[in-house]
């Protein structure tokens, strides 16, 4: 593995842990607002991000590459209304997609096919993450303005359950 691919994979552990921390912050915001369903949705999102971090961690260890844990930054999104959270979530997922693409490009450049194969799952996952974030914005735009509809949307999000990632290393 090249130094660059190694560095990017190691940094991605941190980026995914930051994502978990960010979504935990979002969950906390909704909990304080009394929207438990939204809080549940973002709590599960946080769990998935922790799983993503662990996949990068495990991949490096399996490749006998050194793992260096870096400090996780404070969530820094400006939140004044529920919709701010949803928009920040989509923006963040697009940023993560760009990071995955950067690692993929670095691996492609040096014909690191094993890393590319590992990253394939994340390429697909990022597509799903962006779709989910977009769907949530659409639902909020449609129903968020009316308290009764918001209550039903909150109930729908309360039904989301955690499932472990389909990628096993
Ligand atoms: Fe781990 Fe939401 O990307």
């Amino acid at each position: 593995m090249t130094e660059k691919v190694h560095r990017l994979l190691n940094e991605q552990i941190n980026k995914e842990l930051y994502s978990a921390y960010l979504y935990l912050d979002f969950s906390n915001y909704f909990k304080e607002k009394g929207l438990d369903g939204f809080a549940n949705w973002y709590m599960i999102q946080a769990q998935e991000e922790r799983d993503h971090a662990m996949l990068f961690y495990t991949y490096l260890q399996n490749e006998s590459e050194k793992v260096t844990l870096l400090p996780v930054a404070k969530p820094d999104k400006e939140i004044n209304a529920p919709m701010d959270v949803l928009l920040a979530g989509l923006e963040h997922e697009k940023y993560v997609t760009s990071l995955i693409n950067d690692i993929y490009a670095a691996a492609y450049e040096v014909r690191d096919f094993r890393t590319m194969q590992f990253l394939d799952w994340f390429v697909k996952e990022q597509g799903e993450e962006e779709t989910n974030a977009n769907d949530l914005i659409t639902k909020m735009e449609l129903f968020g303005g009316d308290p009764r509809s918001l209550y039903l949307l909150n109930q729908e999000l309360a039904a989301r359950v955690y499932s472990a990632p389909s990628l096993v290393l």
Side-chain angles (χ1 to χ4, degrees):
M1 185 181 291
T2 63
E3 185 277 328
K4 184 180 179 184
V5 171
H6 176 233
R7 176 175 54 77
L8 291 175
L9 288 169
N10 188 74
E11 283 173 4
Q12 195 62 27
I13 299 171
N14 184 266
K15 303 288 185 187
E16 300 290 347
L17 287 175
Y18 172 79
S19 302
Y21 215 33
L22 181 68
Y23 288 130
L24 197 59
D25 199 39
F26 291 173
S27 182
N28 182 44
Y29 169 84
F30 282 118
K31 190 80 181 169
E32 280 176 13
K33 292 273 174 225
L35 288 165
D36 283 18
F38 282 83
N40 173 62
W41 199 89
Y42 281 108
M43 179 63 80
I44 289 167
Q45 198 65 28
Q47 288 173 291
E48 287 193 356
E49 298 301 350
R50 178 210 53 206
D51 292 340
H52 296 169
M54 291 310 296
L55 286 167
F56 282 96
Y57 173 92
T58 304
Y59 178 69
L60 283 177
Q61 286 189 339
N62 287 353
E63 294 294 310
S64 304
E65 296 285 348
K66 186 171 168 55
V67 168
T68 307
L69 296 178
L70 306 167
V72 181
K74 181 177 186 285
D76 61 347
K77 303 286 181 192
E78 172 89 19
I79 304 298
N80 296 306
M83 191 53 127
D84 291 345
V85 176
L86 275 54
L87 292 170
L90 176 60
E91 180 195 41
H92 184 69
E93 285 307 327
K94 286 182 174 172
Y95 167 63
V96 174
T97 297
S98 77
L99 296 174
I100 299 292
N101 290 347
D102 287 348
I103 310 173
Y104 208 105
Y108 178 78
E109 217 174 292
V110 295
R111 297 168 60 86
D112 182 347
F113 300 120
R114 203 152 52 223
T115 296
M116 286 161 66
Q117 194 173 51
F118 163 69
L119 288 172
D120 279 339
W121 185 86
F122 285 92
V123 172
K124 186 161 174 279
E125 175 73 5
Q126 280 312 117
E128 288 170 15
E129 295 271 66
E130 287 188 32
T131 300
N132 291 342
N134 258 318
D135 287 353
L136 202 50
I137 290 168
T138 304
K139 284 180 181 174
M140 194 65 164
E141 280 169 352
L142 286 170
F143 311 119
D146 164 38
R148 270 186 217 135
S149 303
L150 182 63
Y151 179 75
L152 291 174
L153 179 55
N154 186 60
Q155 279 191 321
E156 182 189 321
L157 299 181
R160 184 183 185 187
V161 290
Y162 167 75
S163 62
S166 53
L167 178 63
V168 179
L169 296 178

